Amino acid sequence: MECIAKKEKLLGLLAMAATLLIWASFFISLRASGQSPLTVGDIALLRFVPAALVFGILSLPKTKQIKATAKRYLLAIAIGAGLPFFLLAANGLRLAPVADGASLIPGILPLFVSSIAAYCYREKISNIRKLGISLIFIGIGLFITHSLSSGQHQVLQGHGLLLTASFSWAWYTIGMRVSGLSPIAGGAILAISACLLLPVLYTMGWVEFNLMSAPTNDVIFHLCIQGIAAGIIANFSYGYAISRLGAEMSAALGSFTPVIAALMAVVIFDESLTLTTATAMGLIVIGALSASEIIKLRPTIIRSLAKPTNP
């Protein structure tokens, strides 16, 4: 029995390692799109269309459950991790370095989730979570101070977009938690809603498409990273890691994303990793590790909120 448990844990760690590499590659891909003829709209197509097809088919048996879910939870999922989140993250990373984006989006997530849980659901914040949130605040302050002192107002604007993207993802996290939907059903909701929203934004002139005239190599690269790896594989690998390691450990390990992404950016884009950036990134990682282990709503709250209600 102990041998089986060790094997299961090892498989969970391998799945989480794959997830971290994909998440880091997600930020690298968005950063690379700024140096490509591909528009943000093109990357969104490559990101959501494959996921909509795969998760849409897999979630067909759960159609009744999805329809019975309160609309406010479906909206939190669709907006929180769908096209609005993607546009915020993509445009933010076109203005700020990869290390900043990888730190501010997943790293600040525990702060926003805790704030939403405490304000909306009156959840008490323990001392260890308060410590983690304090470290995250200090890390954010270092990022902003560094941008202001160096006159990098463009980077500061990117930080604002990235923080908004993280807040959006926090609502998705809460929405998924209280809805009771599976990751596949959630993936179908956010991907299909994004595919439906893209033509609307195009007619309004908010997004542009250049996919047909873009180099084939760029299309294949972003399709593999965004559409297949981040859009499909990471959903399965992260879900598998949670089932083997638990939500707390998986969330804690997820906070190492900025470290991996920053090291990849140094090699690929020759981005410099200053002492201030490294310190801010380290504080956010440590803060996320402290806070992530206990970010969860009370079971009674989850059961009451997960009941289908009339929106």
Side-chain angles (χ1 to χ4, degrees), residues 12-306:
L13 289 172
L14 291 174
M16 195 62 214
T19 303
L20 290 174
L21 287 174
I22 292 173
W23 285 353
S25 299
F26 167 82
F27 290 103
I28 294 294
S29 175
L30 288 182
R31 180 65 169 173
S33 68
Q35 306 172 7
S36 165
L38 289 171
T39 66
V40 173
D42 295 330
I43 304 298
L45 278 175
L46 298 174
R47 167 69 173 85
F48 291 111
V49 171
L53 292 173
V54 173
F55 291 131
I57 294 173
L58 292 178
S59 63
L60 284 176
K62 301 291 185 180
T63 302
K64 290 184 178 180
Q65 181 189 6
I66 294 174
K67 289 181 178 179
T69 303
K71 299 299 184 291
R72 60 182 177 275
Y73 302 149
L74 298 180
L75 189 64
I77 294 171
I79 294 178
L83 185 60
F85 161 79
F86 182 86
L87 294 178
L88 287 168
N91 285 294
L93 278 167
R94 292 193 171 202
L95 300 173
V98 172
D100 297 20
S103 296
L104 293 176
I105 292 181
I108 307 303
L109 181 62
L111 185 154
F112 287 138
V113 172
S114 292
S115 300
I116 293 171
Y119 181 76
C120 296
Y121 307 120
R122 300 296 185 267
E123 182 184 0
K124 292 182 179 179
I125 300 178
S126 65
N127 291 331
I128 189 171
R129 193 192 298 188
K130 289 178 181 178
L131 173 62
I133 291 174
S134 299
L135 293 175
I136 291 173
F137 261 123
I138 297 173
I140 296 175
L142 284 177
F143 271 125
I144 294 175
T145 301
H146 181 258
S147 298
L148 289 174
S149 62
S150 59
Q152 298 176 319
H153 297 292
Q154 186 179 31
V155 175
L156 187 62
Q157 183 181 358
H159 287 172
L161 292 173
L162 294 169
L163 287 171
T164 307
S166 182
F167 184 73
S168 175
W169 189 270
W171 275 111
Y172 159 74
T173 303
I174 295 291
M176 280 295 297
R177 182 177 296 168
V178 300
S179 69
L181 295 173
S182 67
I184 290 178
I189 292 166
L190 67 89
I192 293 174
S193 65
C195 291
L196 295 175
L197 188 58
L198 269 172
V200 177
L201 297 185
Y202 175 73
T203 57
M204 296 173 64
W206 289 9
V207 295
E208 298 178 351
F209 299 110
N210 189 39
L211 193 63
M212 301 306 295
S213 59
T216 304
N217 290 339
D218 281 3
V219 175
I220 294 175
F221 170 75
H222 290 288
L223 175 63
C224 290
I225 297 297
Q226 294 287 343
I228 298 175
I232 299 174
I233 297 176
N235 278 280
F236 288 106
S237 60
Y238 188 54
Y240 184 87
I242 290 175
S243 68
R244 297 298 184 271
L245 303 175
E248 291 81 5
M249 181 179 291
S250 299
L253 291 173
S255 62
F256 284 98
T257 302
V259 178
I260 300 173
L263 294 176
M264 292 173 67
V266 170
V267 176
I268 297 174
F269 302 121
D270 197 28
E271 288 189 358
S272 59
L273 194 61
T274 65
L275 178 60
T276 302
T277 300
T279 303
M281 190 167 59
L283 287 171
I284 290 175
V285 169
I286 295 172
L289 285 171
S290 300
S292 293
E293 293 181 349
I294 48 176
I295 296 179
K296 52 187 177 182
L297 296 177
R298 296 187 189 93
T300 53
I301 295 177
I302 295 175
R303 285 194 295 270
S304 63
L305 293 175

